[in-house]
Amino acid sequence: EVDPRHFRNFEALRWPPLLPSTGAAQASTSPPAAPPPAVLVLGGSTFMGRELVQLLVARPARVCVVNRGRKYWGTDDPSEGRAARLVADRRDAEGFARLL
């Protein structure tokens, strides 16, 4: 079972992406395209990390952000749900390794 305190929005890594209204995979009549790259970003919520995540999801890329879950810029999710998030503290080596 996934712990929502640590793992958030992992649907953002799914390929093909889910349709927002139904939760079903998007259907296509064309041959399936290669999935966009999967990128892991450590940090991702302060100035440079936030910009990097926004650029990656606009590219598009499947992005997973690992951070401590603090609120910055008035939100704890600067990607607005477009990136998966793992809340972990890199200073806690055992806890961090257990979540990865």
Side-chain angles (χ1 to χ4, degrees), residues 3 14-15 21 23 25-26 28-29 32 40 44 49 52 58-63 71-72 87 95 100:
D3 184 344
R14 183 181 177 93
W15 189 257
S21 60
Q26 292 183 8
S28 174
T29 57
L40 176 66
L52 174 62
R59 181 175 182 141
R62 295 173 298 143
V63 179
K71 288 192 178 220
Y72 294 99
V87 177
L100 293 179

Side-chain angles (χ1 to χ4, degrees), residues 5-66:
R5 293 173 299 161
H6 298 287
F7 299 94
R8 301 179 186 164
N9 196 34
F10 270 64
E11 304 84 37
L13 297 176
R14 183 181 177 93
W15 189 257
L18 297 177
L19 294 171
S21 60
T22 65
Q26 292 183 8
S28 174
T29 57
S30 60
V39 180
L40 176 66
V41 177
L42 298 176
S45 55
T46 57
F47 184 69
M48 290 185 69
R50 180 180 183 198
E51 288 296 314
L52 174 62
V53 170
Q54 289 177 349
L55 289 170
L56 287 167
V57 296
R59 181 175 182 141
R62 295 173 298 143
V63 179
C64 181
V65 175
V66 179

Side-chain angles (χ1 to χ4, degrees), residues 69-87:
R70 294 184 180 172
K71 288 192 178 220
Y72 294 99
W73 312 102
T75 180
D76 67 350
D77 184 8
S79 76
E80 299 174 349
R82 297 176 295 160
R85 294 184 57 232
L86 173 60
V87 177

Side-chain angles (χ1 to χ4, degrees), residues 7 40 42-43 66-68 86-100:
F7 299 94
L40 176 66
L42 298 176
V66 179
N67 63 26
R68 289 174 285 201
L86 173 60
V87 177
D89 190 341
R90 66 185 180 275
R91 296 173 296 181
D92 173 10
E94 288 181 21
F96 190 77
R98 196 171 40 253
L99 290 169
L100 293 179

